[in-house]
């Protein structure tokens, strides 16, 4: 049943007993082998599985075979393969928990882990596909706190979704789910109800209380993802400014971006603000196409948008992404030919979105960033399947025309500005957009204050809760309960 | 050099031409005329066979307005709620609904593979 396929992937760790790459502490290494630097070819151990799956390439093997495969795979392909600690495989209960520690422990200059992205999940769950649709309520949540006292706000509502039809709006605060106090309930039973309502595994109706009001009933529905929204122009004394929201890089984005650029070109815009605050990336070729449509051929001809650099054993796989001037149907892409663009960004702006920033700066297009420091993910994976799991180890780094790609701490904003939940996205009174417009006009960052205050008085720093993936749990009880 | 994007129309024509059907027969872009749960199930199963994906989520409107559809891996998130593949190099599959000799087919225009449809009805676009 299709509906269950979409939603049925939610599987809470509490029920599944682990899985995923989320940092199991099982088998913490108690010793380190002397610096072993050679490993057997991973191909020797590929598909040798403790529990072979029927009708696959799996063959009977052992858990140790699976671990040996992973160690060799990491040695062959991991970007920082020299920095992987030699840990004792037998100390780890599963191949997945062993994989979790096969990564560098290096820190960035700001003290963050260089590799925060190591990950694994079941191949079956990874092999889900779609035609650009989702099945949910149509709410993008911003979470300030996911443990009591919880604080979630509606960041965005998908057009035509059940949430939109029910009148739910950006800025609404979640206060209850199916009669359970969302803010304070820390009981196991209460958390189960919250999870069931927010991340349903079957298509059923749930109640959502917002702003302390009576609950509204919502039923998940199939929603066609709209990746480009609110395309419009803003008049200023220094010319017409184009604006649009761009939320994710998927295949259908190409047509939506072409339409947006055509619309803005027809309006003779001389400057552009793109709202990337919730764009965590996606297809890299879409990022390249958008960068081209912003900058045009005079700025990008024969230039590198992003070069993918693999480790020194895999230099043959280094790959150049040009600025694509044509679309996937070989159609000529429209362009604005700008030398300046403002991008609205937050910690949720990542990967392919950061590639747009870096790619444009690499060809001397001025990119003003308004908002918060971006995520800092100049890396990518080539997923590897083995024995029913798919493993994601960072294999390449992206650099621009100038060879720059060292932004693991993210790109700092030109002007800081808070995500202002009291205004709709695209409203010129919304703090981030207002700041962008002021800065381009005056060259000075305005002093802004948050238009939204939390009752806890905690700093306004929200992270987006993206649609639930499998084997994850977002709402948790208070620690130690 | 690896192909970083879905193939354009020229490649599609060459791949289609490589099939064993006679030259007199040609694919014509088509639209679905009988959308419904049974047809949707058939389309999903056919696309899963063509692309290798374990599951395929379609909407009821797919192939009713356009004869082509991009099928791509469903964006998924990690425990932090972040996209796992933020820098995705995997090219989407461009799936076409075509009519040929009065029958409806799905064609994966990346590979040229095709799958006949039994329950689906279509008309030339």
């Amino acid at each position: 049943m299709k509906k269950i396929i979409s939603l049925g992937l939610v599987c809470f760790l509490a029920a599944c007993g682990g899985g995923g790459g989320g940092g199991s502490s099982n088998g913490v290494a108690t010793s380190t082998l002397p610096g072993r630097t050679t490993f057997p070819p991973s191909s020797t151990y590929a598909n040798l599985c403790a529990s072979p799956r029927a009708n696959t390439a799996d063959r009977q093997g052992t858990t140790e075979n699976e671990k040996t495969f992973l160690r060799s795979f990491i040695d062959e392909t991991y970007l920082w393969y020299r920095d992987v600690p030699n840990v004792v495989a037998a100390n780890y209960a599963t191949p997945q928990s062993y994989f979790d520690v096969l990564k560098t422990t290096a820190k960035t200059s700001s003290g963050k882990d260089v590799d925060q992205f190591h990950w694994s999940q079941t191949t079956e769950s990874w092999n889900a596909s779609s035609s650009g649709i989702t099945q949910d309520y149509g709410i993008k949540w911003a979470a300030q706190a996911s443990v009591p006292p919880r604080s979630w706000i509606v960041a965005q509502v998908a057009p035509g979704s059940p949430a939109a039809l029910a009148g739910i709006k950006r800025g609404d605060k979640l206060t209850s789910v199916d009669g359970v106090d969302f803010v304070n309930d820390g009981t196991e039973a209460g958390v189960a109800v919250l999870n069931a309502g927010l991340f349903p595994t079957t298509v059923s109706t749930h109640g959502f209380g917002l702003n302390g009001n009576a609950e509204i009933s919502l039923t998940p529905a199939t929603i066609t993802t709209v990746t480009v929204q609110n395309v419009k122009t803003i008049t200023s004394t220094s010319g017409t400014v184009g604006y649009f929201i761009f939320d994710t890089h998927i295949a259908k984005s190409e047509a939506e971006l072409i339409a947006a650029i055509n619309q803005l070109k027809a309006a003779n815009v001389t400057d552009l603000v793109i709202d990337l605050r919730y764009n965590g990336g996606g297809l890299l070729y879409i990022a390249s196409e958008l960068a081209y449509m912003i900058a045009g051929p005079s700025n990008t001809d024969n230039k590198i948008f992003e070069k993918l650099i693999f480790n020194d054993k895999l230099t043959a796989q280094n790959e150049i992404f040009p600025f694509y001037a044509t679309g996937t149907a070989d159609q000529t892409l429209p362009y604005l030919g700008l030398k300046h663009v403002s991008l609205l960004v937050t910690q949720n702006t990542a990967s392919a979105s950061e590639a747009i920033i870096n790619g444009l700066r690499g060809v001397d297009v001025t990119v003003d960033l308004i908002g918060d420091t971006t995520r800092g993910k100049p890396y990518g994976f080539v997923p590897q399947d083995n024995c029913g799991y798919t493993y994601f180890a960072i294999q390449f780094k992206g650099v621009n025309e100038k060879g720059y790609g060292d932004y693991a701490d993210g790109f700092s904003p030109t002007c800081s500005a808070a995500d202002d939940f009291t205004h709709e996205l695209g409203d010129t009174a919304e703090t981030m957009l207002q700041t962008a417009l002021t800065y381009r006009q005056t060259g000075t960052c305005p002093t802004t204050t948050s238009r939204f205050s939390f009752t806890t008085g905690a700093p306004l720093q929200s992270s987006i809760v993206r649609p639930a993936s499998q084997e994850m749990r977002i709402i948790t009880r208070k620690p130690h309960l | 050099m690896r192909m970083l994007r879905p193939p354009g129309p020229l490649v599609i024509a060459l791949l289609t031409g490589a099939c064993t059907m006679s030259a007199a027969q040609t694919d014509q872009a088509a639209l679905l005329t009988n959308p419904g749960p049974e047809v949707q199930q058939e389309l999903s199963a056919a696309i899963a066979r063509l692309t290798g994906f374990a599951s395929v989520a379609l909407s009821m409107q797919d192939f009713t307005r356009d004869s082509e559809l991009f099928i791509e891996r469903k964006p998924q998130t990690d425990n932090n709620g972040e996209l796992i593949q933020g820098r995705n190099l995997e090219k989407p599959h461009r799936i076409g609904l075509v009519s040929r000799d009065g029958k409806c087919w799905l064609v994966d225009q990346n590979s040229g593979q095709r799958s006949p449809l039994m329950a689906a009805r279509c008309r030339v676009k």
Side-chain angles (χ1 to χ4, degrees):
Chain A
M1 180 177 164
K2 185 177 91 56
K3 289 182 175 178
I4 293 183
I5 289 169
S6 277
L7 291 169
L9 298 175
V10 178
C11 176
F12 302 140
L13 287 178
C16 298
S24 164
S25 60
N26 286 347
V28 170
T30 54
S31 64
T32 300
L33 290 175
R36 183 175 177 183
T37 56
T38 59
F39 300 91
S42 62
S43 57
T44 306
Y45 291 90
N47 305 316
L48 283 175
C49 311
S51 301
R53 295 162 297 164
N55 304 316
T56 67
D58 291 359
R59 294 168 291 151
Q60 186 62 58
T62 65
T63 298
E64 292 311 309
N65 292 152
E66 293 185 40
K67 292 177 184 174
T68 302
F69 168 82
L70 290 172
R71 188 63 189 89
S72 296
F73 162 67
I74 289 290
D75 186 65
E76 291 163 4
T77 68
Y78 188 53
L79 186 59
W80 302 285
Y81 68 91
R82 289 191 184 88
D83 300 337
V84 176
N86 280 312
V87 294
V88 179
N91 288 349
Y92 296 85
T94 65
Q96 293 74 49
S97 59
Y98 177 54
F99 176 78
D100 285 348
V101 297
L102 296 179
K103 64 176 185 176
T104 179
T105 56
K107 303 287 184 185
T108 68
S109 57
S110 73
K112 292 194 304 187
D113 288 339
V114 164
D115 187 353
Q116 305 164 56
F117 309 106
H118 217 58
W119 176 255
S120 64
Q121 67 181 75
T122 64
T123 299
E124 183 180 11
S125 63
W126 179 241
N127 280 342
S129 72
S130 85
S131 59
I133 60 170
T134 59
Q135 188 140 37
D136 54 39
Y137 305 114
I139 301 174
K140 187 174 286 178
W141 297 102
Q144 188 197 29
S146 290
V147 293
R150 301 183 186 90
S151 180
W152 282 25
I153 306 165
V154 175
Q156 206 173 15
V157 176
S161 65
L165 297 174
I168 293 173
K169 291 185 170 53
R170 172 175 163 85
D172 286 344
K173 284 194 74 171
L174 182 62
T175 48
S176 70
V177 177
D178 289 331
V180 171
D181 179 350
F182 174 79
V183 178
N184 298 307
D185 196 308
T187 65
E188 194 167 334
V191 169
V193 171
L194 295 176
N195 273 322
L198 289 162
F199 309 109
T201 54
T202 59
V203 177
S204 54
T205 301
H206 294 274
F208 291 83
L210 298 161
N211 310 314
N213 296 326
E215 292 190 346
I216 297 169
S217 293
L218 294 179
T219 306
T222 300
I223 303 165
T224 298
T225 304
V226 179
T227 70
V228 177
Q229 295 184 60
N230 208 354
V231 184
K232 66 176 188 176
T233 55
I234 300 166
T235 305
S236 81
T237 55
S238 57
T240 304
V241 182
Y243 170 89
F244 62 85
I245 301 163
F246 180 37
D247 280 337
T248 187
H249 298 65
I250 60 176
K252 71 196 295 286
S253 304
E254 181 182 86
E256 295 177 17
L257 288 167
I258 289 171
I261 297 298
N262 275 328
Q263 180 180 330
L264 297 178
K265 190 178 177 71
N268 296 314
V269 300
T270 56
D271 202 358
L272 180 64
V273 178
I274 305 178
D275 202 329
L276 294 174
R277 74 182 75 188
Y278 304 139
N279 194 324
L283 292 166
L284 192 57
Y285 78 79
I286 295 289
S288 163
E289 291 180 7
L290 175 56
Y292 170 81
M293 289 190 273
I294 295 167
S298 63
N299 292 314
T300 62
D301 268 359
N302 301 314
K303 303 276 179 66
I304 293 171
F305 170 68
E306 180 161 285
K307 182 175 182 181
L308 311 183
I309 298 179
F310 289 74
N311 73 31
D312 59 7
K313 298 177 182 179
L314 298 174
T315 53
Q317 293 193 33
N318 291 352
E319 191 84 58
I320 289 175
F321 269 69
F323 286 85
Y324 285 120
T326 57
T328 51
D330 288 341
Q331 73 276 42
T332 301
L333 295 178
Y335 61 87
L336 298 174
L338 302 176
K339 288 291 287 183
H340 171 266
V341 65
S342 300
L343 304 179
L344 309 187
V345 296
T346 66
Q347 273 281 310
N348 299 295
T349 307
S351 286
S353 291
E354 292 176 303
I356 295 171
I357 299 166
N358 201 42
L360 288 173
R361 286 180 170 173
V363 295
D364 297 322
V365 171
T366 301
V367 181
D368 287 330
L369 301 179
I370 309 297
D372 197 358
T373 303
T374 64
R375 180 65 179 91
K377 194 176 179 184
Y379 311 117
F381 310 106
V382 179
Q384 176 65 51
D385 297 345
N386 195 57
C387 298
Y389 274 79
T390 301
Y391 297 92
F392 303 82
I394 290 175
Q395 292 183 13
F396 62 84
K397 169 183 171 181
V399 302
N400 66 13
E401 170 75 16
K402 296 180 191 293
Y404 178 75
D406 294 323
Y407 54 90
D409 278 325
F411 289 110
S412 299
T414 312
C415 297
S416 294
D419 192 356
D420 172 7
F421 296 104
T422 65
H423 291 90
E424 291 294 332
L425 299 180
D427 184 336
T428 53
E430 190 276 320
T431 302
M432 289 173 68
L433 177 54
Q434 186 181 63
T435 300
L437 296 173
T438 301
Y439 181 74
R440 68 170 291 280
Q441 195 75 21
T442 66
T444 304
C445 295
T447 303
T448 59
T449 54
S450 168
R451 303 285 177 83
F452 192 97
S453 61
F454 286 86
T455 54
T456 58
L460 181 62
Q461 188 170 18
S462 300
S463 61
I464 286 297
V465 179
R466 292 199 164 85
S469 182
Q470 57 293 325
E471 299 176 59
M472 62 182 284
R473 174 178 180 156
I474 291 181
I475 299 293
T476 55
R477 291 187 297 152
K478 270 185 177 173
H480 315 303
L481 273 180
Chain B
M1 181 174 174
R2 280 186 292 169
M3 187 160 55
L4 302 173
R5 299 193 296 178
L10 176 61
V11 179
I12 293 164
L14 291 172
L15 289 171
T16 306
C19 294
T20 55
M21 294 187 172
S22 73
Q25 298 172 318
T26 56
D27 287 344
Q28 292 181 286
L31 295 175
L32 193 65
T33 58
N34 63 335
E38 184 192 358
V39 169
Q40 194 176 34
Q41 195 169 23
E42 181 183 41
L43 294 171
S44 293
I47 293 172
R49 282 194 302 274
L50 291 170
T51 62
F53 284 121
S55 65
V56 178
L58 298 176
S59 79
M60 216 53 99
Q61 287 74 42
D62 287 338
F63 295 117
T64 61
R65 299 170 188 161
D66 199 326
S67 60
E68 285 194 346
L69 190 65
F70 280 112
I71 296 293
E72 60 195 307
R73 195 173 298 277
K74 185 178 171 184
Q76 296 184 33
T77 56
D78 62 17
N79 281 338
N80 298 318
E82 297 177 354
L83 276 183
I84 295 166
Q85 277 290 55
R87 227 179 210 83
N88 188 358
L89 309 181
E90 188 175 23
K91 60 181 184 295
H93 292 261
R94 188 194 292 265
I95 305 293
L97 177 66
V98 299
S99 174
R100 191 176 184 124
D101 285 349
K103 293 178 183 170
C104 305
W105 300 74
L106 283 183
V107 182
D108 183 343
Q109 291 164 338
N110 291 21
S111 65
Q113 297 285 318
R114 56 177 55 234
S115 180
L117 300 172
M118 301 303 164
R121 299 284 175 267
C122 61
R123 63 176 171 82
V124 173
K125 187 178 175 185

